[in-house]
Amino acid sequence: DTGVSQDPRHKITKRGQNVTFRCDPISEHNRLYWYRQTLGQGPEFLTYFQNEAQLEKSRLLSDRFSAERPKGSFSTLEIQRTEQGDSAMYLCASSLRFGAGEQFFGPGTRLTVL
Amino acid sequence: DQQVKQNSPSLSVQEGRISILNCDYTNSMFDYFLWYKKYPAEGPTFLISISSIKDKNEDGRFTVFLNKSAKHLSLHIVPSQPGDSAVYFCAATPNEKLTFGTGTRLTIIP
C-alpha cells in the first residue's frame, strides 16, 4: 500500500497529557499537510510543509501544538497539555503538484481527551 | 466565517438517478475547487477538481460545474450507485491550503 499512513489510528488520553501523532506521506510527495476535523465539520487546515520547511501555520495551531518534518519525509504532530477541546480527528495529507493540486489523505488519528 | 458552504446536510437519491450536490463559496481569491468523498473511519478520497478558468470538468460518472459569477459549484453523479453513499465535501483554495465545507451525506436508495 503506497498511500498516506497515520499512526496511531486511535488515541485516548487524559487531560494534561502530551500526545504525538505520526504521518508517512506518499514517498515522492514533497508537500505534507495537517488538518483537524471535528464532528459535523469539514477538515480545517492546521499547517503544511514543503520538504522539511514549515511554510504556513493556521491560527488554530496554538502554542501547545508543534509539527515537524525532519529530512522532509515523515511528519509528527505533538500536542502538549491536551485539553478536552483537542478531541478531534487529525488528518494528514500529501501532494506532489506545485500550487493547488490534489491532496491525498491518510485515514486519520482520532484523539479523545478525557 | 464559513467561506465554503454546503447547505444540504443530507440527500437521498434513488439508484440509477442523478445525484446533484451543491456548494457555495464567498472568497473571490479561490481559484481551484475540489470534491472529496469520505466513508466512515477513512480519510477523504479525492474525486474530481476544477480550475476557475473552466466551467465544467467531467470524469466518468462525475461532473463538476462551476459558476464563478454566482460563486457556486455542483457535483453531478450519473447514474448513482449504492457505493456512492458517503459524505461529500466541497473544498476550495487559492494556494496550498484547502478550505472545506461541512459536507453532504448522500444516501443512494436501492
Side-chain angles (χ1 to χ4, degrees), chain B residues 77-89:
Chain B
I77 306 173
V78 182
S80 300
Q81 299 174 354
D84 296 331
S85 293
V87 177
Y88 288 77
F89 290 97

Side-chain angles (χ1 to χ4, degrees), chain B residues 33-45:
Chain B
F33 305 88
L34 307 92
W35 284 95
Y36 282 84
K37 172 180 177 179
K38 188 178 186 303
Y39 293 119
E42 295 183 12
T45 302

Side-chain angles (χ1 to χ4, degrees), chain A residues 10-51:
Chain A
H10 303 273
K11 179 70 177 179
I12 300 174
T13 191
K14 293 182 178 178
R15 190 176 52 188
Q17 297 295 305
N18 299 344
V19 294
T20 300
F21 310 140
R22 177 181 170 122
C23 170
D24 287 272
I26 294 171
S27 59
E28 63 268 26
H29 287 186
N30 59 0
R31 285 166 171 78
L32 186 149
Y33 310 82
W34 285 99
Y35 292 83
R36 181 175 71 184
Q37 185 177 17
T38 53
L39 198 61
Q41 301 297 315
E44 296 174 290
F45 172 82
L46 291 178
T47 187
Y48 97 93
F49 293 83
Q50 180 175 327
N51 299 313

Side-chain angles (χ1 to χ4, degrees), chain A residues 33-82:
Chain A
Y33 310 82
W34 285 99
Y35 292 83
R36 181 175 71 184
Q37 185 177 17
T38 53
L39 198 61
Q41 301 297 315
E44 296 174 290
F45 172 82
L46 291 178
T47 187
Y48 97 93
F49 293 83
Q50 180 175 327
N51 299 313
E52 66 273 11
Q54 187 173 17
L55 297 186
E56 187 173 348
K57 288 167 47 171
S58 163
R59 54 188 166 83
L60 290 176
L61 216 65
S62 75
D63 291 345
R64 297 183 297 104
F65 288 71
S66 63
E68 294 182 346
R69 193 184 182 194
K71 303 177 184 176
S73 56
F74 71 91
S75 175
T76 58
L77 178 68
E78 181 184 15
I79 309 174
Q80 295 183 329
R81 304 180 304 282
T82 53

Side-chain angles (χ1 to χ4, degrees), chain A residues 9 31 33 35 37 40-45 48 50 56 58 89 91 95 97-108 110, chain B residues 1-2 31-34 36 38 40-49 87 89 93-103:
Chain A
R9 294 290 305 274
R31 285 166 171 78
Y33 310 82
Y35 292 83
Q37 185 177 17
Q41 301 297 315
E44 296 174 290
F45 172 82
Y48 97 93
Q50 180 175 327
E56 187 173 348
S58 163
M89 175 74 83
L91 293 161
S95 75
R97 283 176 52 191
F98 172 78
E102 294 82 358
Q103 296 179 15
F104 296 87
F105 283 81
R110 179 167 295 284
Chain B
D1 174 26
Q2 195 73 25
D31 62 1
Y32 195 74
F33 305 88
L34 307 92
Y36 282 84
K38 188 178 186 303
E42 295 183 12
T45 302
F46 170 74
L47 270 179
I48 192 168
S49 61
V87 177
F89 290 97
T93 181
N95 45 41
E96 301 283 347
K97 180 177 77 174
L98 295 180
T99 300
F100 284 84
T102 53

